[in-house]
Amino acid sequence: MNRSDLPLVRDLVLIGGGHTHALIMRSWGMSPLPGVRVTVIDPEPEAAYSGMLPGFVAGHYPRAALGIDLVRLARFCGARYVRGAVDRVDRDAKSIHLAGRPPISYDLASVDVGISSAMPDMPGFNRHAIGAKPLGPFADEWQRVREDPSRRGIVVIGGGVAGCELAMAMAHARRGTATTVTVVQQGRIGTGLGSKASACLRRALADAGVTVLEGRSAHRITEDAVHLDDGSRIEADFVTGIAGARPYDWLGTTGLTDQDGYATVDARLQTRDPAIFAAGDCAHMTHAPRPKAGVYAVRQAPILLHNLKAVLSGTGELRRYRPQKDYLKLISLGGKSALAERFGVSFRNPLLWRWKDRIDRRFMDRFATLPRPPAPDLPWPRAMGVRQALGEKPLCGGCGAKIGQQALRRALAQGGEDMPGDDAAVLLTGQARQVISTDHLRAFTEDPGLLARIAAVHALGDVWAMGARPQAATASIVLPRLSDALAERTLREIMLVAREVMESAGASIVGGHSTIGAEMTIGFTVTGLCAGPALTLAGAQPGDALILTKPIGSGVMLAAEMQYEARGRNVMRALDVMARPQGEAAGILAGAHAMTDITGFGLVGHAAAMAEASRCGIILDVAAVPLMDGALRLAERGIRSTLYPQNRDAFPELPVRDARDALMFDPQTGGGLLAAYPGNHEPLVRALRAIGFDAAAVGRITDRPGQVAFA
């Protein structure tokens, strides 16, 4: 039996995307433990690499070079990535709680969340400053500050090695401007360094033009200044803190921490709870206390990976982690120069920066160059055409897995169906008008809760497009082979999310069906009630504007994500768009002549279906169509969904002049509503944008039946 055919029987949850866990995910992708379902939880889809942060701040690296893409890593290792911050861990129930979603169960968990340098107890800090840790939000904020010429005063609270590195990097980035950079340190600068290295660091700070205030403490922060304990003030319009780094509060509620809130671990990196491990800066090694440094996190990775697999498999002894007594410290000095120190010996040389740069790039290359999955090993002999039918890339999920429009038309025509049909069937029961529709999605994410949310919104789209109020739904769920415990956990998570989405829309889940199959598939049959005549495809009139409520590009985004080509941030934004309910938007569009939702056949296919049913034509203003972040760049690189060729072939008369044109045929999952609206549409678009929809007028209905054209 193929390893991938084995049922999943254990849940491993990695809380945090720190360096240790990132390395574990990479190794797991190359050698997974069969039968284990892996979940990764982190508030950000990219984990910032601490080694390159000073170089980014100074301007030596772009923001993209700083990030370890957790979404991409999760795809590589077959894990689900869950975006969110942990609120608490229930060790009795073995569940992890996050805001806005059902709890996530675990059999074994590991914590690598880093630490925070925010100072919530300092008056004004939360409002007027930002902690340098976590690194990702700080890096995003600094990018905005670095590009703002109006900034004049920068203050770094904390003069340890990390604080000094940031201060010199900031000074380098703002060289040639009137910006001042000041470090406020309660004790002495460069704590933890030898006397020679500390003196060298002081000279480097002076050379960079950084003002150092030792033996001083920040007392409070206001909009334009840092106020010190001696009553003086420093004018500042950007303040960051890196003093007093501390663990996150929720960790202290687990019963697994020391008096300072760090998770205490033994030599095996195991906490007092044998089902929970911890590593990186959030962990305190009781057998060998060490200062917080990324080098320890990196070297903990192979030990932690071995121990997690040993516990999950029930085989082998747990290994001990033995940290080195000291490590080489390479300290960035703002420009392309560095200071090295180990065992009290230090020296400064521009060549050291090149060495550090090479080390950092080599580390990041491990995540940028992930091995491609091998092509399927096909049996021989086999029927002619098998390889061609498989194609050159994996089958897309979501609506990218639909049967092509032309094939569907031909098949249904044999059964006497009148195509193109409508979004939902209209049932008349006495005086009541009820619509009914069904839809399901082949999994494109390992997260069953997220898939359930998008599938529910996707199914409701047909009801909203008919101008109906959602009434009731039944669920149809196919789960892959799981143990009874994992099947129960998964089904509970799916139904909790689905019920929340349906009830928010006004519908109740009244039943359904579940079964075991080859892969996860979630679908819903939904009914809705119409107060008046249903809004169909057939009512569009010449002169109507075509209003689209959501950007397009989900097909190419999901296809790229499967190939490790999409940036995780853009993938998560795309998923947010797909998961956005459209009940409010449908209400605003209530005066439309015709409406549909954009799904598998793309914007062109669904717009053309509306025009055909209305016996009109359409002109799409391609330049006006909103696109998902990153979709155009991926399309320009030639990435397409597996359904794209069929969508494109259905309209041979339309020229594809560039990548933007190609996206008009991109299959959408949870796509926007497309309405043919009469009269002045601008107030309508403004109203949609006011409630958070990236809406736009994307074309018009013409009086030329059969016309499908690009403007």
Side-chain angles (χ1 to χ4, degrees):
M1 177 180 286
N2 190 301
R3 287 156 47 117
S4 63
D5 293 332
L6 295 175
L8 299 173
V9 298
R10 292 286 185 272
D11 269 321
L12 168 63
V13 179
L14 305 178
I15 305 174
H19 300 352
T20 309
H21 280 175
L23 288 166
I24 284 176
M25 291 167 70
R26 187 183 188 280
S27 297
W28 193 283
M30 293 185 287
S31 180
L33 181 64
V36 177
R37 180 170 63 178
V38 181
T39 299
V40 182
I41 304 172
D42 197 274
E44 297 292 329
E46 290 182 0
Y49 172 46
S50 58
M52 295 176 78
L53 181 67
F56 158 72
V57 170
H60 306 318
Y61 304 119
R63 175 65 179 89
L66 195 65
I68 300 172
D69 196 324
L70 298 179
V71 178
R72 188 166 176 261
L73 267 179
R75 167 66 68 177
F76 175 68
C77 72
R80 65 166 165 169
Y81 164 72
V82 174
R83 180 179 49 184
V86 172
D87 288 337
R88 65 185 179 92
V89 175
D90 185 337
R91 290 168 50 204
D92 294 329
K94 284 193 170 183
S95 62
I96 299 161
H97 294 254
L98 298 83
R101 64 167 297 137
I104 295 173
S105 298
Y106 67 90
D107 295 296
L108 190 65
S110 178
V111 184
D112 180 19
V113 294
I115 51 181
S116 171
S117 61
M119 304 174 184
D121 297 333
M122 181 180 294
F125 188 94
N126 286 346
R127 185 174 181 182
H128 303 298
I130 184 171
K133 293 186 177 183
L135 304 181
F138 169 79
D140 291 339
E141 181 63 23
W142 173 252
Q143 178 133 309
R144 289 187 284 269
V145 170
R146 191 174 65 191
E147 297 168 356
D148 182 356
S150 67
R151 302 296 178 122
R152 290 291 181 266
I154 295 173
V155 174
V156 179
I157 302 174
V161 170
C164 292
E165 279 190 298
L166 285 182
M168 289 184 286
M170 291 173 177
H172 182 81
R174 302 291 292 191
R175 65 193 185 285
T177 72
T179 303
T180 61
V181 180
T182 304
V183 175
V184 178
Q185 169 68 349
Q186 191 171 20
R188 299 281 292 173
I189 287 292
T191 303
L193 295 177
S195 58
K196 184 178 178 181
S198 180
C200 187
L201 183 64
R202 289 173 182 277
R203 289 194 297 272
L205 285 163
D207 292 344
V210 176
T211 300
V212 176
L213 300 179
E214 292 180 285
R216 312 280 280 280
S217 297
H219 172 64
R220 65 188 176 94
I221 301 171
T222 56
E223 185 177 4
D224 59 355
V226 174
H227 299 259
L228 304 184
D229 53 358
D230 61 1
S232 61
R233 66 193 298 272
I234 309 168
E235 291 188 5
D237 46 24
F238 180 73
V239 180
T240 186
I242 198 161
R246 59 186 181 83
Y248 291 97
D249 292 339
W250 69 265
L251 197 56
T253 68
T254 61
L256 303 174
T257 60
D258 62 11
Q259 67 276 7
D260 296 320
Y262 294 95
T264 57
V265 296
D266 59 21
R268 300 169 299 179
L269 303 178
Q270 197 169 32
T271 68
R272 290 190 290 272
D273 185 336
I276 299 179
F277 288 73
D281 286 354
C282 69
H284 172 67
M285 297 180 289
T286 55
H287 68 292
R290 291 291 188 276
K292 304 304 179 185
V295 65
Y296 297 119
V298 168
R299 296 190 179 186
Q300 286 171 339
I303 303 299
L304 179 58
L305 175 63
H306 170 87
N307 291 348
L308 293 174
K309 286 186 173 182
V311 172
L312 289 164
S313 64
T315 60
E317 294 185 2
L318 272 61
R319 294 178 183 171
R320 297 174 62 86
Y321 171 64
R322 297 178 175 85
Q324 64 270 45
K325 293 183 178 180
D326 196 8
Y327 63 95
L328 177 65
K329 304 174 187 70
L330 289 171
I331 303 167
S332 296
L333 302 179
K336 293 185 177 182
S337 179
L339 167 68
E341 197 257 9
R342 188 175 188 184
F343 295 124
V345 178
S346 64
F347 55 98
R348 174 182 178 181
N349 193 301
L351 292 177
L352 288 173
W353 192 90
R354 292 172 60 183
W355 186 24
K356 174 175 166 51
D357 175 64
R358 189 176 299 113
I359 292 171
D360 289 336
R361 288 183 184 273
R362 187 182 303 122
F363 178 79
M364 293 299 286
D365 283 346
R366 301 171 74 177
F367 305 104
T369 55
L370 298 175
R372 298 286 179 173
D377 186 14
L378 300 180
W380 183 263
R382 60 179 181 268
M384 293 185 296
V386 168
R387 186 173 295 280
Q388 291 81 353
L390 281 175
E392 298 179 356
K393 55 187 178 183
L395 177 66
C396 287
C399 274
K402 288 183 72 169
I403 296 172
Q405 190 172 22
Q406 296 298 88
L408 184 62
R409 282 177 178 268
R410 290 191 296 268
L412 293 179
Q414 296 297 316
E417 296 290 337
D418 183 18
M419 290 295 289
D422 226 311
D423 293 285
V426 180
L427 308 177
L428 297 177
T429 305
Q431 298 300 312
R433 290 183 179 87
Q434 186 183 48
V435 300
I436 183 169
S437 181
T438 189
D439 224 322
H440 70 259
L441 297 178
R442 176 178 181 264
F444 49 82
T445 172
E446 297 295 330
D447 186 348
L450 178 59
L451 182 63
R453 183 173 300 279
I454 294 173
V457 168
H458 184 79
L460 285 164
D462 289 337
V463 174
W464 287 320
M466 299 289 284
R469 177 173 52 83
Q471 176 195 25
T474 59
S476 180
I477 299 168
V478 180
L479 296 181
R481 294 189 65 186
L482 305 168
S483 67
D484 289 345
L486 264 66
E488 180 181 343
R489 294 172 185 174
T490 304
L491 192 58
R492 180 172 62 245
E493 186 173 342
I494 289 170
M495 293 309 297
L496 284 171
V497 171
R499 189 171 290 114
E500 183 264 317
V501 174
M502 291 295 179
E503 289 179 354
S504 295
S508 299
I509 296 181
V510 295
H513 181 74
S514 61
T515 188
I516 301 298
E519 58 186 359
M520 186 177 297
T521 302
I522 301 177
F524 300 91
T525 297
V526 187
T527 65
L529 295 174
C530 296
L535 193 58
T536 70
L537 289 170
Q541 298 177 19
D544 287 350
L546 289 173
I547 309 299
L548 180 64
T549 60
K550 289 185 179 183
I552 67 171
S554 63
V556 71
M557 190 66 65
L558 294 179
E561 193 266 339
M562 292 178 69
Q563 302 170 51
Y564 314 143
E565 297 290 346
R567 188 178 179 189
R569 286 179 181 271
N570 291 337
V571 172
M572 297 312 297
R573 291 183 187 124
L575 293 170
D576 286 343
V577 171
M578 296 180 226
R580 174 74 190 268
Q582 299 192 90
E584 285 184 284
I588 291 173
L589 294 167
H593 284 156
M595 190 153 63
T596 187
D597 61 333
I598 308 303
T599 57
F601 302 140
L603 179 58
V604 170
H606 288 282
M610 178 188 292
E612 181 180 349
S614 302
R615 294 182 173 84
C616 296
I618 58 165
I619 295 179
L620 289 177
D621 184 357
V622 176
V625 176
L627 304 178
M628 292 180 176
D629 292 347
L632 182 59
R633 181 170 295 180
L634 293 171
E636 288 172 342
R637 290 166 50 193
I639 295 174
R640 303 286 186 269
S641 168
T642 49
L643 188 57
Y644 171 83
Q646 293 95 312
N647 287 352
R648 174 69 188 95
D649 290 346
F651 298 92
E653 74 281 4
L654 277 177
V656 176
R657 301 160 295 189
D658 53 26
R660 180 177 278 274
D661 282 357
L663 284 169
M664 301 303 106
F665 303 93
D666 189 54
Q668 302 304 292
T669 300
L673 297 171
L674 182 70
Y677 198 85
N680 182 12
H681 62 271
E682 292 181 0
L684 189 79
V685 172
R686 286 197 295 269
L688 289 166
R689 290 177 177 171
I691 60 171
F693 284 91
D694 189 10
V698 298
R700 66 183 187 277
I701 301 293
T702 72
D703 58 1
R704 299 180 61 184
Q707 179 200 52
V708 179
F710 289 160

